[in-house]
Amino acid sequence: MTTRPIAVVGASAAGLAAAEALRRFGWTGPLTLIGDEPHLPYDRPPLSKQLLHGTWEPDRLLLRTKEQLDPLGLDLRLGTRATGLDVAARTLTLDTGERLDCAGVIIATGVAARTLPGADALTGVHTLRTLDDALALRGRLANGGTPASEGVAGGGGTRRLVIVGNGVLGCEAAAVARELGHEVTLVGHDPVPMAAAVGTAVGELLAGEHRARGVTLRTGTVDGFDTDGDAVTAVRLASGGTPGKGGVAAGGGARLPADTVLLAIGSTPAVGWLGDDPALDTTDGLRCDAYCAVAPGIYAAGDVARWEHPVHARPLRIEHRMNATEQGMAAARNLLAELAADGADAQERRPFAPVPYFWSDQYDLKIQAYGPTAGADRVETPVLDRAGRRVLALYGREGRAVAVLAAGLPPRQIRALRAVVATPLPWAEALTRIDTATATG
């Protein structure tokens, strides 16, 4: 057995899943797990939900305690950043100056939150990607305000929160902030929240949920911030303002008063540390083949990986929790199969072909989806009951159904929908199978 380690870069859900799978699948050599945050691996979805709300504390987010990690025999490098990779030599460079010559590398560095020029220097402007980000924002929202609608918590210390970005993260944070009693304005390029991810019909249902609870929805592009010293006092929009005194920015757009701002404007794959090595394609993530391989002995998993999905026959990069775990395990299995290719215990690599799954909790509404909903060229809603808060949507590409989303349906029906899009079906056949899956509770 080689004395060179396998290194997993990224102490994330994907990175932890990869490390555990490496041991489970038989790697007994040195195993290094590198994480740029000082925290043990933790779960990210609760950051914008339970942790931000204050119903969970950070220790509840831990994926494993130190005692649970000990049996893995990890060389655990927390608070350490990888700064370079020699692909041909499989050598990592760390921010400590150390170089690690590796038998194999799994890259699970995830994504970084996008921000806006000048935002980092302002008090009250936040992003929400890491545990520290979430705790900082929670500190601003710790005391709820006066309820503006039924079902919204009360308290003191109302904040005027402007959320820039009306995608999944922005919508989830808006729901939490309203439940805490704060004034919330949700701003997006698209007039319909989450439309890029779930389509217009589902997005309009969500818009109704937010309006009913007192969220103000605005459409526009952020032009900058007003400040008092280094503290934010308003968000300026370049367009979308209503003419009138006091609320119109110099460029004609609205000026939205705010003492707290959340920038939820998407993310960028964390690939900058890899440089411009011609062996790597870092366009929208780290390009992999169907086995999650980037190059010989180099694999990727989780939010950073853009791999060739063998069923959908196109590259996908999926920023969802379940995919991170599944892909971490797949990358580990395939790396070990490659390393053992000439040995007695050689196994074949397997293409990574999951049915993508994601969920979003907003107020008491849970949205669940199977398959890649984004980028659909056709969307139909066989069930759309806004009053009953029920929806079922089917998403297609090039004449075939590829994804399905549901909310407000019985759990048994929602689970049955996975089989409808496990393999892309002709549109009419998929609709028939949906009717069958939802015929009974």
Side-chain angles (χ1 to χ4, degrees), residues 206-266:
L206 295 173
E209 292 291 314
H210 285 283
R211 289 193 185 99
R213 287 165 172 79
V215 175
T216 300
L217 303 182
R218 298 297 297 263
T219 305
T221 301
V222 173
D223 190 38
F225 304 98
D226 287 351
T227 61
D228 180 2
D230 63 356
V232 67
T233 59
V235 174
R236 299 195 309 268
L237 301 185
S239 61
T242 301
K245 293 183 179 180
V248 178
R255 179 177 279 110
L256 307 175
D259 54 48
T260 308
V261 176
L262 172 60
L263 300 179
I265 52 176

Side-chain angles (χ1 to χ4, degrees), residues 32 38 49 63 124 151-152 189 199 215 236 292 372 378 382 411 429 431 434:
T32 301
K49 306 177 185 74
L63 294 170
V152 178
H189 289 296
V215 175
R236 299 195 309 268
C292 307
R378 184 176 183 180
E429 182 180 348
L431 286 173
I434 280 178

